[in-house]
Amino acid sequence: MTPKLWFSMVFLGGLAVLGALVPLLPFDPNAIDPEAMVQPPSIVHWFGTDDLGRDILLRSLYGARISLVVGLVSVSISLMIGVSIGLIAGFMGGLGDAIIMRCIDVMMALPTLFLILMVQVVLEPSMLNVMVVIGATSWMGMARLVRAEVLSIKERVFVTACRARGIAEKTVLMKHILPHTLNPVIVAAMLGMGGAILVESVLSFLGLGVQPPHASWGNMLENSLGYLRSAPWMALIPGVLITLTVLSLNFLGDGLWLLLDPKAKESHVKRS
Amino acid sequence: MSIIAKRLIQAIPLVFGASFVSFLMMHLAPGDPTIMFMDPSVSQNDLDQVRENLGLNAPLLVQYFHWVSALLQGNFGYSYITGQPVFDAICERLPATLMLSVASLSLILLITFPLGILCGYKKDTWVDDSITIFSFLGLSIPTFWLGLMFILVFSLQLDWLPTSGFMDPLLRDAPWYQQLASVLRHMALPLLTITVGGIAGLIRYNRFSMIKILAQDYITAARARGLSERRICFKHALKNALLPIITILGLDLPSLIGGSFIIEYIFSWPGMGQLGVQAVFQRDYPILMATIFFSSVLIIIGNVLADVSYAMADPRISSPRKGAA
């Protein structure tokens, strides 16, 4: 356990616990207070208040709920798509593999952010759409990773042994090959979750993600635009929170990789 | 067949694939651009006429075929909003985008190589640790927020640089060197933002690549022959460490280009990114399709260039790598 890992676990754990408990408090994050508009951080409002007098600490914690949920769900979606496609492509080989890989090449050449923006503007922007769209446009790296793993595992002796014992192909794939691909997948999932949180913040910042009055870090930043000079804390706090959350996830991914993969120390290269 | 020709041929289906996806995306969308003309004074007949004129009534594949064949003649259609030819709109914006991306790419390379290699060479020292922490931080900061912070510090607080735009409009008739100076001042903040974001990822690749090379037998052999550390580092290790970076750079292009689009929007830099984001808000499909298509083509060209230069730099590769992933 390195200091980086400790920092990440404590930060993410704290954020998750606070985010889970905050709705139990008798405070409304959307409560407008005309008496306390645009106040700098103070003892009453630790992170200050925004242009409508709403408490930024409270809104940040509600924003944490959004970011963590969006991160988790979109990564699960991209995991499901990426792992299945990677498994199929790697196991099948030949023409099918070639076709799938070319499709992935096409997907990877597209500017994903624009596709996501496009979908969001066409459908009603909602949290569910945000998660599905991010998941559906971020699985390609995962698929490539799993495919590469499967290609090398397929050649190992134990797979030949399985076949020799007459185990069905499907069982070989699901029971014997899939578990061996999990370590790199877990690492990629951590990095992917950070990526998803970043994309969500961009979407909400552009007004195409989580809709006001619901607080998300991205739309809090959008809200801060007119007050950059007069109330810099409104822009500062959500940005720092996004950075620390994504940083923790990246540290976690990196640290887990070193823990899970004994060979990682030699070939320590970021995978995503 | 030479590698260059092979790579180019492989890129053609990619370009078509990208064009089809960008076309499909726009047309599966339920949003209808004729909504724009929805005002009570327009009759249903006129509305149908507008749909017919815009070619929105034909079957999807027919529309795609029309689009591609027009596209091959350099006709990308017309903007739904301004009526301007899309090709002109894109070409107007391309120089600003290319200017920003070429400048940031060069800056990123100039900074990452020495730092990454220093990192790899000084593995596990405080130099390495601090650069690594910095690169993690750079990977985690939302670039658009970093841009806002730069505006806050350098424009609003210190008043050193302009917040947005391309050139001071008062300088329209000024001599070219004054105009150039103004453009450079406007470019400084977006450039800085993109560069900080881009450096972070690449430094780590450089570091790992250097560490891997330094662990190889031929470096030990060079040490055993009593060559100076400097000579080993710069003459023997560096060249080989640079090779994999070329590929990584190609793979990183989409995120670099995608990231710079948001930055263009934040700083009102008149490039393709800003055009595209505006088109999203206005549902200007022809512009949007062209933006997506053009940026895909930029990315594909970047990847082909990376592959080709890799093949030319590495004598071990005489045929494309098999199963490269």
Side-chain angles (χ1 to χ4, degrees):
Chain A
M1 289 292 279
T2 62
K4 283 189 225 166
L5 267 182
W6 275 115
F7 163 79
S8 324
M9 309 245 278
V10 169
F11 183 79
L12 288 177
L15 210 59
V17 169
L18 287 175
L21 295 182
V22 72
L24 301 176
L25 295 175
F27 303 118
D28 177 7
N30 303 326
I32 293 169
D33 182 359
E35 311 262 294
M37 291 198 296
V38 203
Q39 283 186 356
S42 64
I43 297 182
V44 189
H45 299 288
W46 290 0
F47 284 1
T49 60
D50 67 5
D51 52 325
L52 296 174
R54 298 174 294 195
D55 183 68
I56 292 182
L57 174 60
L58 202 56
R59 289 181 73 71
S60 299
L61 291 179
Y62 275 86
R65 290 164 64 86
I66 303 246
S67 286
L68 292 179
V69 170
V70 168
L72 273 176
V73 176
S74 4
V75 156
S76 318
I77 294 174
S78 95
L79 265 182
M80 279 190 282
I81 306 177
V83 172
S84 357
I85 290 187
L87 274 181
I88 293 170
F91 198 61
M92 199 159 57
L95 187 64
D97 178 37
I99 292 174
I100 293 177
M101 290 319 284
R102 290 297 82 75
C103 290
I104 289 181
D105 284 347
V106 171
M107 287 287 290
M108 289 192 91
L110 292 168
T112 350
L113 191 64
F114 269 126
L115 292 190
I116 298 177
L117 286 179
M118 172 68 210
V119 174
Q120 284 304 107
V121 84
V122 163
L123 309 174
E124 286 299 295
S126 73
M127 203 168 134
L128 182 70
N129 288 342
V130 172
M131 296 185 296
V132 173
V133 172
I134 295 177
T137 49
S138 61
W139 51 269
M140 291 85 76
M142 197 82 79
R144 282 190 165 186
L145 184 68
V146 172
R147 170 185 173 267
E149 290 286 317
V150 172
L151 280 182
S152 77
I153 294 167
K154 206 165 70 166
E155 304 301 324
R156 302 249 295 265
V157 184
F158 76 87
V159 175
T160 320
C162 286
R163 291 223 171 92
R165 287 173 60 197
I167 297 172
E169 291 287 282
K170 208 175 110 191
T171 323
V172 176
L173 183 62
M174 300 306 289
K175 281 249 166 85
H176 298 273
I177 293 183
L178 179 62
H180 284 271
T181 65
L182 282 187
N183 284 353
V185 164
I186 292 171
V187 174
M190 290 293 159
L191 302 178
M193 195 172 152
I197 290 176
L198 284 179
V199 174
E200 186 274 328
S201 71
V202 174
L203 286 180
S204 298
F205 175 72
L206 292 175
L208 294 171
V210 177
Q211 296 296 302
H214 297 296
S216 91
W217 292 338
N219 69 30
M220 287 168 75
L221 282 176
E222 181 199 13
N223 202 20
S224 79
L225 276 185
Y227 303 88
L228 214 48
R229 193 193 293 266
S230 55
W233 60 89
M234 276 173 66
L236 208 60
I237 288 159
V240 169
L241 285 172
I242 299 172
T243 308
L244 288 180
T245 309
V246 179
L247 186 67
S248 305
L249 286 165
N250 284 341
F251 278 162
L252 214 55
D254 202 58
L256 275 181
W257 184 24
L258 287 174
L259 283 180
L260 291 174
D261 185 356
K263 285 175 295 182
K265 289 217 168 72
E266 290 160 30
S267 57
H268 191 160
V269 181
K270 188 192 100 181
R271 314 186 196 185
S272 56
Chain B
M1 193 167 28
S2 80
I3 276 219
I4 303 174
K6 225 174 202 168
R7 279 290 166 203
L8 280 176
I9 289 172
Q10 281 176 350
I12 293 172
L14 281 188
V15 173
F16 273 99
S19 79
F20 187 65
V21 174
S22 47
F23 177 84
L24 207 63
M25 286 296 300
M26 304 304 139
H27 278 261
L28 289 181
D32 184 339
T34 49
I35 294 261
M36 295 289 176
F37 304 101
M38 270 296 189
D39 88 65
S41 62
V42 178
S43 71
Q44 188 60 42
N45 265 346
D46 289 345
L47 217 57
D48 289 343
Q49 193 56 49
V50 169
R51 287 184 61 82
E52 193 65 46
N53 288 349
L54 291 174
L56 292 169
N57 286 336
L60 196 68
L61 273 176
V62 175
Q63 288 193 39
Y64 173 67
F65 184 73
H66 282 307
W67 187 61
V68 167
S69 52
L71 195 139
L72 289 174
Q73 297 160 22
N75 178 3
F76 282 72
Y78 299 88
S79 160
Y80 283 165
I81 307 297
T82 60
Q84 190 193 14
V86 172
F87 192 68
D88 295 358
I90 298 268
C91 287
E92 237 169 54
R93 301 302 190 105
L94 209 55
T97 291
L98 284 181
M99 195 172 152
L100 192 59
S101 42
V102 169
S104 54
L105 203 60
S106 331
L107 210 57
I108 288 170
L109 289 181
L110 271 179
I111 299 174
T112 36
F113 276 131
L115 282 187
I117 277 147
L118 183 72
C119 234
Y121 195 73
K122 300 252 176 196
K123 189 168 85 125
D124 296 329
T125 62
W126 65 269
V127 184
D128 178 27
D129 284 346
S130 36
I131 297 181
T132 304
I133 294 274
F134 165 80
S135 77
F136 264 110
L137 213 62
L139 280 175
S140 313
I141 291 185
T143 39
F144 72 94
W145 179 71
L146 190 66
L148 287 184
M149 290 299 108
F150 284 150
I151 291 181
L152 179 64
V153 174
F154 294 109
S155 304
L156 298 181
Q157 301 288 338
L158 299 172
D159 205 16
W160 286 353
L161 293 162
T163 52
S164 62
F166 183 71
M167 197 180 77
D168 194 335
L170 297 175
L171 291 176
R172 182 153 295 185
D173 303 314
W176 66 270
Y177 53 89
Q178 277 186 12
Q179 292 189 339
L180 182 69
S182 171
V183 170
L184 288 180
R185 275 168 53 83
H186 281 84
M187 194 166 82
L189 285 185
L191 183 60
L192 185 64
T193 315
I194 298 176
T195 307
V196 171
I199 290 175
L202 277 183
I203 282 191
R204 287 168 52 75
Y205 289 118
N206 274 304
R207 171 180 182 269
F208 301 137
S209 158
M210 192 68 180
I211 290 176
K212 241 175 161 175
I213 295 289
L214 283 175
Q216 288 200 355
D217 288 343
Y218 80 96
I219 295 289
T220 319
R223 287 221 169 97
R225 271 162 50 211
L227 295 182
S228 74
E229 280 298 302
R230 233 173 93 178
R231 206 183 151 84
I232 291 173
C233 182
F234 289 103
K235 273 245 144 156
H236 295 246
L238 190 60
K239 264 192 226 161
N240 287 315
L242 292 187
L243 267 179
I245 307 298
I246 301 176
T247 312
I248 300 293
L249 205 60
L251 287 176
D252 258 9
L253 268 182
S255 61
L256 271 180
I257 290 182
S260 63
F261 281 175
I262 282 296
I263 299 305
E264 282 184 8
Y265 176 72
I266 299 268
F267 289 97
S268 309
W269 184 258
M272 263 167 57
Q274 197 207 18
L275 183 75
V277 176
Q278 281 167 356
V280 168
F281 288 121
Q282 298 171 331
R283 299 199 177 179
D284 197 344
Y285 296 165
I287 294 267
L288 198 45
M289 276 193 279
T291 317
I292 293 183
F293 178 65
F294 263 82
S295 28
S296 318
V297 170
L298 277 185
I299 293 168
I300 292 169
I301 291 176
N303 277 321
V304 171
L305 283 181
D307 275 346
V308 169
S309 41
Y310 191 97
M312 290 200 296
D314 191 343
R316 283 172 300 187
I317 296 185
S318 51
S319 63
R321 286 149 299 152
K322 272 188 188 156

